Amino acid sequence: GIYYSGNASGTARLNECSRNEQAGIWVADQAQVTLEENTCSTNELGLAFSGNTISVAQKNVSSNNVTVGIVLMDQAESVLEQNKCTNNQVGISFMDSAKGTARGNQCSGNEIGIAIVGQSQPLLEGNITTENSKDGIRYGEKAGGIARQNDCSRNSSSGIQVLDQSQPELEQNTCNDNLSGITYGGSA
């Protein structure tokens, strides 16, 4: 695949990164990168952001990856816009203390559309998380942030599930035709 590290910067556009042992595209350390219209499939991870990177990912397709379509780890901060994540275990995941914005992404046909865990606090706005085999959006551990105007319909379990000690703000989301619309568990 493609790997950015250290203080690297640049743009990766219209690349196909498939069948890699780790990530199709990995952005690490303090790298500042824009990823546009790339296709990452059948990797362990589609797009991965780790360390203290500040990056942008727009209009990428991340499908059929073993674990996650797009993952933000450590203290990574990214703006994710209009990406399509299908047929992964998780479409988009914010982990550890990652932050940023996920806006206008489509996460369908995964186990979980968008997962927010650790102490992540992203803004999720206008995403489509439908037809996932578990939840559209799932918050766990001590995660938070804001989920606003997302379509979390037609998932096999919950449109939005809030677990453990997570405390997100949920505003104007659509959660129709799921087993449960919005579910709270643990001490959430």
Side-chain angles (χ1 to χ4, degrees), residues 35-183:
L35 307 178
E36 295 179 339
E37 299 181 78
N38 298 289
T39 300
C40 296
S41 62
T42 59
N43 305 291
E44 180 69 26
L45 306 166
L47 306 174
F49 299 91
S50 64
N52 292 302
T53 182
I54 299 175
S55 298
V56 175
Q58 298 175 319
K59 299 180 182 176
N60 297 286
V61 175
S62 191
S63 62
N64 300 303
N65 296 291
V66 175
T67 54
V68 184
I70 301 174
V71 61
L72 282 76
M73 302 175 271
D74 305 321
Q75 291 82 40
E77 181 175 351
S78 292
V79 175
L80 310 176
E81 291 183 318
Q82 298 178 344
N83 298 289
K84 186 175 182 181
C85 299
T86 58
N87 301 315
N88 306 289
Q89 186 176 0
V90 176
I92 295 173
S93 181
F94 288 85
M95 303 172 64
D96 304 318
S97 296
K99 54 188 174 286
T101 300
R103 181 180 294 118
N105 299 287
Q106 180 181 345
C107 298
S108 301
N110 305 288
E111 285 186 28
I112 298 169
I114 301 176
I116 305 92
V117 295
Q119 296 178 339
S120 294
Q121 305 264 332
L123 168 62
L124 309 179
E125 188 170 51
N127 298 290
I128 299 170
T129 60
T130 58
E131 299 175 359
N132 295 290
S133 65
K134 292 184 179 173
D135 304 318
I137 297 174
R138 179 185 290 179
Y139 288 89
E141 299 172 358
K142 295 181 180 180
I146 299 170
R148 178 185 303 132
Q149 297 175 337
N150 298 287
D151 181 356
C152 305
S153 300
R154 299 181 312 281
N155 297 289
S156 296
S157 186
S158 298
I160 300 174
Q161 187 165 87
V162 181
L163 299 171
D164 306 318
Q165 297 174 327
S166 53
Q167 297 184 339
E169 294 179 36
L170 308 178
E171 303 172 0
Q172 299 177 332
N173 297 288
T174 301
C175 299
N176 295 326
D177 302 313
N178 304 290
L179 182 63
S180 301
I182 299 175
T183 306

Side-chain angles (χ1 to χ4, degrees), residues 1-6 8 24-29 50:
I2 299 171
Y3 183 70
Y4 291 91
S5 66
I25 302 174
W26 196 309
V27 182
D29 304 324
S50 64

